[in-house]
PDB file of all heavy atoms in Angstrom:
ATOM      1  N   THR A 284       0.220 256.349  63.897  1.00 95.00           N
ATOM      2  CA  THR A 284       0.664 255.569  65.052  1.00 95.00           C
ATOM      3  C   THR A 284      -0.162 255.935  66.167  1.00 95.00           C
ATOM      4  O   THR A 284      -0.793 255.025  66.917  1.00 95.00           O
ATOM      5  CB  THR A 284       2.196 255.893  65.304  1.00 95.00           C
ATOM      6  OG1 THR A 284       2.936 255.471  64.218  1.00 95.00           O
ATOM      7  CG2 THR A 284       2.627 255.190  66.615  1.00 95.00           C
ATOM      8  N   VAL A 285      -0.331 257.160  66.538  1.00 95.00           N
ATOM      9  CA  VAL A 285      -1.114 257.603  67.693  1.00 95.00           C
ATOM     10  C   VAL A 285      -2.666 257.260  67.461  1.00 95.00           C
ATOM     11  O   VAL A 285      -3.364 256.922  68.316  1.00 95.00           O
ATOM     12  CB  VAL A 285      -0.892 259.077  68.092  1.00 95.00           C
ATOM     13  CG1 VAL A 285       0.526 259.249  68.458  1.00 95.00           C
ATOM     14  CG2 VAL A 285      -1.282 259.995  66.962  1.00 95.00           C
ATOM     15  N   GLY A 286      -3.089 257.459  66.159  1.00 95.00           N
ATOM     16  CA  GLY A 286      -4.480 257.171  65.904  1.00 95.00           C
ATOM     17  C   GLY A 286      -4.807 255.681  66.011  1.00 95.00           C
ATOM     18  O   GLY A 286      -5.857 255.345  66.547  1.00 95.00           O
ATOM     19  N   ALA A 287      -3.894 254.752  65.549  1.00 96.00           N
ATOM     20  CA  ALA A 287      -4.095 253.360  65.699  1.00 96.00           C
ATOM     21  C   ALA A 287      -4.144 252.996  67.180  1.00 96.00           C
ATOM     22  O   ALA A 287      -4.997 252.191  67.573  1.00 96.00           O
ATOM     23  CB  ALA A 287      -2.989 252.583  65.003  1.00 96.00           C
ATOM     24  N   ALA A 288      -3.276 253.547  67.974  1.00 97.00           N
ATOM     25  CA  ALA A 288      -3.247 253.245  69.435  1.00 97.00           C
ATOM     26  C   ALA A 288      -4.610 253.697  70.062  1.00 97.00           C
ATOM     27  O   ALA A 288      -5.180 253.005  70.933  1.00 97.00           O
ATOM     28  CB  ALA A 288      -2.073 253.923  70.090  1.00 97.00           C
ATOM     29  N   TYR A 289      -5.092 254.915  69.630  1.00 97.00           N
ATOM     30  CA  TYR A 289      -6.273 255.448  70.253  1.00 97.00           C
ATOM     31  C   TYR A 289      -7.470 254.529  69.842  1.00 97.00           C
ATOM     32  O   TYR A 289      -8.262 254.120  70.748  1.00 97.00           O
ATOM     33  CB  TYR A 289      -6.515 256.815  69.674  1.00 97.00           C
ATOM     34  CG  TYR A 289      -7.857 257.488  70.046  1.00 97.00           C
ATOM     35  CD1 TYR A 289      -7.929 258.038  71.303  1.00 97.00           C
ATOM     36  CD2 TYR A 289      -8.899 257.480  69.173  1.00 97.00           C
ATOM     37  CE1 TYR A 289      -9.207 258.644  71.654  1.00 97.00           C
ATOM     38  CE2 TYR A 289     -10.136 258.009  69.575  1.00 97.00           C
ATOM     39  CZ  TYR A 289     -10.327 258.627  70.768  1.00 97.00           C
ATOM     40  OH  TYR A 289     -11.427 259.188  71.203  1.00 97.00           O
ATOM     41  N   VAL A 290      -7.558 254.064  68.619  1.00 96.00           N
ATOM     42  CA  VAL A 290      -8.690 253.229  68.213  1.00 96.00           C
ATOM     43  C   VAL A 290      -8.605 251.840  68.848  1.00 96.00           C
ATOM     44  O   VAL A 290      -9.661 251.375  69.282  1.00 96.00           O
ATOM     45  CB  VAL A 290      -8.687 253.077  66.656  1.00 96.00           C
ATOM     46  CG1 VAL A 290      -9.704 251.989  66.242  1.00 96.00           C
ATOM     47  CG2 VAL A 290      -9.061 254.437  66.029  1.00 96.00           C
ATOM     48  N   LEU A 291      -7.423 251.248  69.027  1.00 96.00           N
ATOM     49  CA  LEU A 291      -7.289 250.002  69.670  1.00 96.00           C
ATOM     50  C   LEU A 291      -7.795 250.093  71.124  1.00 96.00           C
ATOM     51  O   LEU A 291      -8.444 249.203  71.611  1.00 96.00           O
ATOM     52  CB  LEU A 291      -5.849 249.507  69.639  1.00 96.00           C
ATOM     53  CG  LEU A 291      -5.292 249.051  68.320  1.00 96.00           C
ATOM     54  CD1 LEU A 291      -3.802 248.786  68.403  1.00 96.00           C
ATOM     55  CD2 LEU A 291      -5.988 247.727  67.943  1.00 96.00           C
ATOM     56  N   ALA A 292      -7.481 251.211  71.782  1.00 96.00           N
ATOM     57  CA  ALA A 292      -7.943 251.356  73.146  1.00 96.00           C
ATOM     58  C   ALA A 292      -9.376 251.733  73.226  1.00 96.00           C
ATOM     59  O   ALA A 292     -10.184 251.189  74.098  1.00 96.00           O
ATOM     60  CB  ALA A 292      -7.077 252.519  73.869  1.00 96.00           C
ATOM     61  N   LEU A 293      -9.890 252.544  72.300  1.00 95.00           N
ATOM     62  CA  LEU A 293     -11.267 252.900  72.372  1.00 95.00           C
ATOM     63  C   LEU A 293     -12.275 251.784  72.038  1.00 95.00           C
ATOM     64  O   LEU A 293     -13.338 251.722  72.682  1.00 95.00           O
ATOM     65  CB  LEU A 293     -11.507 254.070  71.317  1.00 95.00           C
ATOM     66  CG  LEU A 293     -12.897 254.771  71.365  1.00 95.00           C
ATOM     67  CD1 LEU A 293     -13.043 255.595  72.680  1.00 95.00           C
ATOM     68  CD2 LEU A 293     -13.081 255.653  70.150  1.00 95.00           C
ATOM     69  N   THR A 294     -11.853 250.899  71.241  1.00 93.00           N
ATOM     70  CA  THR A 294     -12.731 249.756  70.859  1.00 93.00           C
ATOM     71  C   THR A 294     -12.497 248.578  71.746  1.00 93.00           C
ATOM     72  O   THR A 294     -13.122 247.479  71.476  1.00 93.00           O
ATOM     73  CB  THR A 294     -12.464 249.387  69.388  1.00 93.00           C
ATOM     74  OG1 THR A 294     -11.100 249.032  69.192  1.00 93.00           O
ATOM     75  CG2 THR A 294     -12.780 250.518  68.463  1.00 93.00           C
ATOM     76  N   GLY A 295     -11.608 248.632  72.711  1.00 94.00           N
ATOM     77  CA  GLY A 295     -11.409 247.511  73.711  1.00 94.00           C
ATOM     78  C   GLY A 295     -10.487 246.438  73.118  1.00 94.00           C
ATOM     79  O   GLY A 295     -10.403 245.393  73.723  1.00 94.00           O
ATOM     80  N   GLU A 296      -9.849 246.685  71.946  1.00 95.00           N
ATOM     81  CA  GLU A 296      -8.909 245.662  71.445  1.00 95.00           C
ATOM     82  C   GLU A 296      -7.602 245.526  72.406  1.00 95.00           C
ATOM     83  O   GLU A 296      -7.023 244.420  72.337  1.00 95.00           O
ATOM     84  CB  GLU A 296      -8.394 246.102  70.029  1.00 95.00           C
ATOM     85  CG  GLU A 296      -9.477 245.876  68.928  1.00 95.00           C
ATOM     86  CD  GLU A 296      -9.746 244.390  68.706  1.00 95.00           C
ATOM     87  OE1 GLU A 296      -8.808 243.648  68.602  1.00 95.00           O
ATOM     88  OE2 GLU A 296     -10.979 244.084  68.722  1.00 95.00           O
ATOM     89  N   ILE A 297      -7.348 246.554  73.071  1.00 94.00           N
ATOM     90  CA  ILE A 297      -6.346 246.411  74.121  1.00 94.00           C
ATOM     91  C   ILE A 297      -6.927 246.964  75.392  1.00 94.00           C
ATOM     92  O   ILE A 297      -7.746 247.876  75.411  1.00 94.00           O
ATOM     93  CB  ILE A 297      -5.076 247.196  73.792  1.00 94.00           C
ATOM     94  CG1 ILE A 297      -5.303 248.726  73.536  1.00 94.00           C
ATOM     95  CG2 ILE A 297      -4.285 246.605  72.534  1.00 94.00           C
ATOM     96  CD1 ILE A 297      -4.067 249.439  73.249  1.00 94.00           C
ATOM     97  N   SER A 298      -6.537 246.401  76.541  1.00 92.00           N
ATOM     98  CA  SER A 298      -7.112 246.815  77.829  1.00 92.00           C
ATOM     99  C   SER A 298      -6.256 247.961  78.358  1.00 92.00           C
ATOM    100  O   SER A 298      -4.993 248.064  78.212  1.00 92.00           O
ATOM    101  CB  SER A 298      -7.098 245.699  78.801  1.00 92.00           C
ATOM    102  OG  SER A 298      -5.711 245.237  78.986  1.00 92.00           O
ATOM    103  N   LEU A 299      -6.969 248.882  78.931  1.00 93.00           N
ATOM    104  CA  LEU A 299      -6.334 250.100  79.551  1.00 93.00           C
ATOM    105  C   LEU A 299      -5.867 249.770  81.013  1.00 93.00           C
ATOM    106  O   LEU A 299      -6.722 249.194  81.735  1.00 93.00           O
ATOM    107  CB  LEU A 299      -7.224 251.282  79.509  1.00 93.00           C
ATOM    108  CG  LEU A 299      -7.593 251.767  78.101  1.00 93.00           C
ATOM    109  CD1 LEU A 299      -8.668 252.862  78.163  1.00 93.00           C
ATOM    110  CD2 LEU A 299      -6.332 252.282  77.429  1.00 93.00           C
ATOM    111  N   ASP A 300      -4.703 250.173  81.362  1.00 86.00           N
ATOM    112  CA  ASP A 300      -4.121 249.841  82.624  1.00 86.00           C
ATOM    113  C   ASP A 300      -4.120 251.158  83.484  1.00 86.00           C
ATOM    114  O   ASP A 300      -3.104 251.846  83.626  1.00 86.00           O
ATOM    115  CB  ASP A 300      -2.658 249.252  82.459  1.00 86.00           C
ATOM    116  CG  ASP A 300      -2.117 248.877  83.833  1.00 86.00           C
ATOM    117  OD1 ASP A 300      -2.840 248.748  84.760  1.00 86.00           O
ATOM    118  OD2 ASP A 300      -0.838 248.686  83.848  1.00 86.00           O
ATOM    119  N   GLY A 301      -5.218 251.508  84.006  1.00 89.00           N
ATOM    120  CA  GLY A 301      -5.381 252.747  84.919  1.00 89.00           C
ATOM    121  C   GLY A 301      -5.258 253.935  83.961  1.00 89.00           C
ATOM    122  O   GLY A 301      -5.679 253.939  82.835  1.00 89.00           O
ATOM    123  N   ASP A 302      -4.631 254.996  84.532  1.00 95.00           N
ATOM    124  CA  ASP A 302      -4.626 256.269  83.865  1.00 95.00           C
ATOM    125  C   ASP A 302      -3.674 256.282  82.698  1.00 95.00           C
ATOM    126  O   ASP A 302      -3.734 257.135  81.715  1.00 95.00           O
ATOM    127  CB  ASP A 302      -4.331 257.415  84.834  1.00 95.00           C
ATOM    128  CG  ASP A 302      -5.396 257.668  85.876  1.00 95.00           C
ATOM    129  OD1 ASP A 302      -6.494 257.177  85.555  1.00 95.00           O
ATOM    130  OD2 ASP A 302      -5.051 258.213  86.918  1.00 95.00           O
ATOM    131  N   GLU A 303      -2.561 255.385  82.732  1.00 96.00           N
ATOM    132  CA  GLU A 303      -1.650 255.377  81.711  1.00 96.00           C
ATOM    133  C   GLU A 303      -1.303 253.947  81.292  1.00 96.00           C
ATOM    134  O   GLU A 303      -1.138 253.070  82.082  1.00 96.00           O
ATOM    135  CB  GLU A 303      -0.260 256.055  82.108  1.00 96.00           C
ATOM    136  CG  GLU A 303      -0.419 257.567  82.341  1.00 96.00           C
ATOM    137  CD  GLU A 303       0.950 258.212  82.474  1.00 96.00           C
ATOM    138  OE1 GLU A 303       1.926 257.456  82.762  1.00 96.00           O
ATOM    139  OE2 GLU A 303       0.971 259.480  82.483  1.00 96.00           O
ATOM    140  N   THR A 304      -1.373 253.734  79.985  1.00 96.00           N
ATOM    141  CA  THR A 304      -1.109 252.386  79.411  1.00 96.00           C
ATOM    142  C   THR A 304      -0.009 252.521  78.383  1.00 96.00           C
ATOM    143  O   THR A 304      -0.052 253.431  77.501  1.00 96.00           O
ATOM    144  CB  THR A 304      -2.414 251.788  78.730  1.00 96.00           C
ATOM    145  OG1 THR A 304      -3.388 251.767  79.697  1.00 96.00           O
ATOM    146  CG2 THR A 304      -2.116 250.397  78.216  1.00 96.00           C
ATOM    147  N   ARG A 305       0.924 251.620  78.401  1.00 97.00           N
ATOM    148  CA  ARG A 305       2.072 251.692  77.520  1.00 97.00           C
ATOM    149  C   ARG A 305       2.069 250.413  76.596  1.00 97.00           C
ATOM    150  O   ARG A 305       1.916 249.262  77.059  1.00 97.00           O
ATOM    151  CB  ARG A 305       3.437 251.764  78.188  1.00 97.00           C
ATOM    152  CG  ARG A 305       3.558 253.051  79.051  1.00 97.00           C
ATOM    153  CD  ARG A 305       4.883 253.190  79.710  1.00 97.00           C
ATOM    154  NE  ARG A 305       4.887 254.350  80.551  1.00 97.00           N
ATOM    155  CZ  ARG A 305       5.285 255.575  80.123  1.00 97.00           C
ATOM    156  NH1 ARG A 305       5.497 255.720  78.895  1.00 97.00           N
ATOM    157  NH2 ARG A 305       5.241 256.607  80.927  1.00 97.00           N
ATOM    158  N   ILE A 306       2.126 250.667  75.252  1.00 97.00           N
ATOM    159  CA  ILE A 306       2.145 249.616  74.282  1.00 97.00           C
ATOM    160  C   ILE A 306       3.278 249.761  73.325  1.00 97.00           C
ATOM    161  O   ILE A 306       3.908 250.848  73.352  1.00 97.00           O
ATOM    162  CB  ILE A 306       0.795 249.567  73.521  1.00 97.00           C
ATOM    163  CG1 ILE A 306       0.599 250.772  72.604  1.00 97.00           C
ATOM    164  CG2 ILE A 306      -0.416 249.392  74.420  1.00 97.00           C
ATOM    165  CD1 ILE A 306      -0.576 250.748  71.619  1.00 97.00           C
ATOM    166  N   VAL A 307       3.519 248.869  72.467  1.00 97.00           N
ATOM    167  CA  VAL A 307       4.636 248.976  71.480  1.00 97.00           C
ATOM    168  C   VAL A 307       4.009 248.524  70.083  1.00 97.00           C
ATOM    169  O   VAL A 307       3.457 247.453  70.008  1.00 97.00           O
ATOM    170  CB  VAL A 307       5.841 248.059  71.806  1.00 97.00           C
ATOM    171  CG1 VAL A 307       6.862 248.168  70.732  1.00 97.00           C
ATOM    172  CG2 VAL A 307       6.496 248.521  73.160  1.00 97.00           C
ATOM    173  N   LEU A 308       4.124 249.304  69.106  1.00 97.00           N
ATOM    174  CA  LEU A 308       3.690 249.031  67.692  1.00 97.00           C
ATOM    175  C   LEU A 308       4.967 248.718  66.869  1.00 97.00           C
ATOM    176  O   LEU A 308       5.862 249.613  66.918  1.00 97.00           O
ATOM    177  CB  LEU A 308       2.862 250.137  67.165  1.00 97.00           C
ATOM    178  CG  LEU A 308       1.548 250.497  67.850  1.00 97.00           C
ATOM    179  CD1 LEU A 308       0.862 251.651  67.258  1.00 97.00           C
ATOM    180  CD2 LEU A 308       0.624 249.317  68.010  1.00 97.00           C
ATOM    181  N   GLU A 309       4.910 247.672  66.144  1.00 97.00           N
ATOM    182  CA  GLU A 309       6.052 247.427  65.240  1.00 97.00           C
ATOM    183  C   GLU A 309       5.779 248.064  63.905  1.00 97.00           C
ATOM    184  O   GLU A 309       4.734 247.873  63.266  1.00 97.00           O
ATOM    185  CB  GLU A 309       6.153 245.853  64.988  1.00 97.00           C
ATOM    186  CG  GLU A 309       6.492 245.118  66.252  1.00 97.00           C
ATOM    187  CD  GLU A 309       6.600 243.575  65.990  1.00 97.00           C
ATOM    188  OE1 GLU A 309       6.287 243.213  64.820  1.00 97.00           O
ATOM    189  OE2 GLU A 309       6.942 242.855  66.907  1.00 97.00           O
ATOM    190  N   GLU A 310       6.709 248.885  63.406  1.00 95.00           N
ATOM    191  CA  GLU A 310       6.686 249.581  62.201  1.00 95.00           C
ATOM    192  C   GLU A 310       7.966 249.378  61.389  1.00 95.00           C
ATOM    193  O   GLU A 310       8.891 248.732  61.915  1.00 95.00           O
ATOM    194  CB  GLU A 310       6.435 251.127  62.451  1.00 95.00           C
ATOM    195  CG  GLU A 310       5.185 251.363  63.257  1.00 95.00           C
ATOM    196  CD  GLU A 310       4.738 252.843  63.390  1.00 95.00           C
ATOM    197  OE1 GLU A 310       5.301 253.648  62.572  1.00 95.00           O
ATOM    198  OE2 GLU A 310       3.992 253.149  64.286  1.00 95.00           O
ATOM    199  N   GLY A 311       8.009 249.823  60.149  1.00 93.00           N
ATOM    200  CA  GLY A 311       9.126 249.681  59.295  1.00 93.00           C
ATOM    201  C   GLY A 311      10.420 250.149  59.926  1.00 93.00           C
ATOM    202  O   GLY A 311      11.496 249.629  59.667  1.00 93.00           O
ATOM    203  N   VAL A 312      10.284 251.235  60.757  1.00 92.00           N
ATOM    204  CA  VAL A 312      11.528 251.909  61.357  1.00 92.00           C
ATOM    205  C   VAL A 312      11.951 251.091  62.588  1.00 92.00           C
ATOM    206  O   VAL A 312      12.996 251.318  63.120  1.00 92.00           O
ATOM    207  CB  VAL A 312      11.145 253.390  61.726  1.00 92.00           C
ATOM    208  CG1 VAL A 312      10.173 253.440  62.906  1.00 92.00           C
ATOM    209  CG2 VAL A 312      12.365 254.116  61.931  1.00 92.00           C
ATOM    210  N   GLY A 313      11.105 250.192  63.058  1.00 93.00           N
ATOM    211  CA  GLY A 313      11.408 249.448  64.257  1.00 93.00           C
ATOM    212  C   GLY A 313      10.219 249.608  65.318  1.00 93.00           C
ATOM    213  O   GLY A 313       9.209 250.185  65.047  1.00 93.00           O
ATOM    214  N   PRO A 314      10.424 249.092  66.562  1.00 95.00           N
ATOM    215  CA  PRO A 314       9.423 249.100  67.586  1.00 95.00           C
ATOM    216  C   PRO A 314       9.153 250.599  67.999  1.00 95.00           C
ATOM    217  O   PRO A 314      10.129 251.323  68.283  1.00 95.00           O
ATOM    218  CB  PRO A 314       9.980 248.312  68.692  1.00 95.00           C
ATOM    219  CG  PRO A 314      10.996 247.468  68.086  1.00 95.00           C
ATOM    220  CD  PRO A 314      11.609 248.296  66.915  1.00 95.00           C
ATOM    221  N   VAL A 315       7.913 250.982  68.024  1.00 95.00           N
ATOM    222  CA  VAL A 315       7.512 252.332  68.435  1.00 95.00           C
ATOM    223  C   VAL A 315       6.767 252.312  69.699  1.00 95.00           C
ATOM    224  O   VAL A 315       5.645 251.867  69.716  1.00 95.00           O
ATOM    225  CB  VAL A 315       6.756 253.064  67.336  1.00 95.00           C
ATOM    226  CG1 VAL A 315       6.417 254.482  67.803  1.00 95.00           C
ATOM    227  CG2 VAL A 315       7.569 253.112  65.992  1.00 95.00           C
ATOM    228  N   PRO A 316       7.331 252.759  70.864  1.00 96.00           N
ATOM    229  CA  PRO A 316       6.537 252.792  72.075  1.00 96.00           C
ATOM    230  C   PRO A 316       5.440 253.894  72.059  1.00 96.00           C
ATOM    231  O   PRO A 316       5.693 254.986  71.514  1.00 96.00           O
ATOM    232  CB  PRO A 316       7.588 253.164  73.211  1.00 96.00           C
ATOM    233  CG  PRO A 316       8.926 252.884  72.520  1.00 96.00           C
ATOM    234  CD  PRO A 316       8.612 253.167  71.054  1.00 96.00           C
ATOM    235  N   VAL A 317       4.269 253.577  72.572  1.00 97.00           N
ATOM    236  CA  VAL A 317       3.209 254.550  72.626  1.00 97.00           C
ATOM    237  C   VAL A 317       2.549 254.615  74.051  1.00 97.00           C
ATOM    238  O   VAL A 317       2.283 253.542  74.570  1.00 97.00           O
ATOM    239  CB  VAL A 317       2.065 254.202  71.593  1.00 97.00           C
ATOM    240  CG1 VAL A 317       0.957 255.262  71.601  1.00 97.00           C
ATOM    241  CG2 VAL A 317       2.658 254.073  70.203  1.00 97.00           C
ATOM    242  N   LEU A 318       2.456 255.768  74.545  1.00 97.00           N
ATOM    243  CA  LEU A 318       1.782 255.917  75.756  1.00 97.00           C
ATOM    244  C   LEU A 318       0.321 256.435  75.520  1.00 97.00           C
ATOM    245  O   LEU A 318       0.055 257.313  74.710  1.00 97.00           O
ATOM    246  CB  LEU A 318       2.437 257.133  76.616  1.00 97.00           C
ATOM    247  CG  LEU A 318       1.730 257.631  77.853  1.00 97.00           C
ATOM    248  CD1 LEU A 318       1.642 256.619  78.928  1.00 97.00           C
ATOM    249  CD2 LEU A 318       2.412 258.873  78.354  1.00 97.00           C
ATOM    250  N   ILE A 319      -0.666 255.698  76.195  1.00 97.00           N
ATOM    251  CA  ILE A 319      -2.112 256.098  76.048  1.00 97.00           C
ATOM    252  C   ILE A 319      -2.575 256.573  77.448  1.00 97.00           C
ATOM    253  O   ILE A 319      -2.443 255.890  78.425  1.00 97.00           O
ATOM    254  CB  ILE A 319      -2.967 254.885  75.693  1.00 97.00           C
ATOM    255  CG1 ILE A 319      -2.378 254.255  74.401  1.00 97.00           C
ATOM    256  CG2 ILE A 319      -4.376 255.258  75.520  1.00 97.00           C
ATOM    257  CD1 ILE A 319      -2.948 252.919  74.053  1.00 97.00           C
ATOM    258  N   ARG A 320      -3.047 257.840  77.543  1.00 96.00           N
ATOM    259  CA  ARG A 320      -3.576 258.328  78.727  1.00 96.00           C
ATOM    260  C   ARG A 320      -5.151 258.224  78.661  1.00 96.00           C
ATOM    261  O   ARG A 320      -5.707 258.504  77.548  1.00 96.00           O
ATOM    262  CB  ARG A 320      -3.189 259.742  78.961  1.00 96.00           C
ATOM    263  CG  ARG A 320      -1.754 259.916  79.263  1.00 96.00           C
ATOM    264  CD  ARG A 320      -1.310 261.352  79.467  1.00 96.00           C
ATOM    265  NE  ARG A 320       0.130 261.423  79.743  1.00 96.00           N
ATOM    266  CZ  ARG A 320       0.900 262.497  79.359  1.00 96.00           C
ATOM    267  NH1 ARG A 320       0.367 263.489  78.773  1.00 96.00           N
ATOM    268  NH2 ARG A 320       2.135 262.481  79.729  1.00 96.00           N
TER     269      ARG A 320
END
């Protein structure tokens, strides 16, 4: 989960919103919020 969020941010697949960006990843357990600094 944290690795996928890191790669998405590092490769520009998602845009970073300042110092902190919040995204949500859908997993089998349900929506998982992730904070990217």
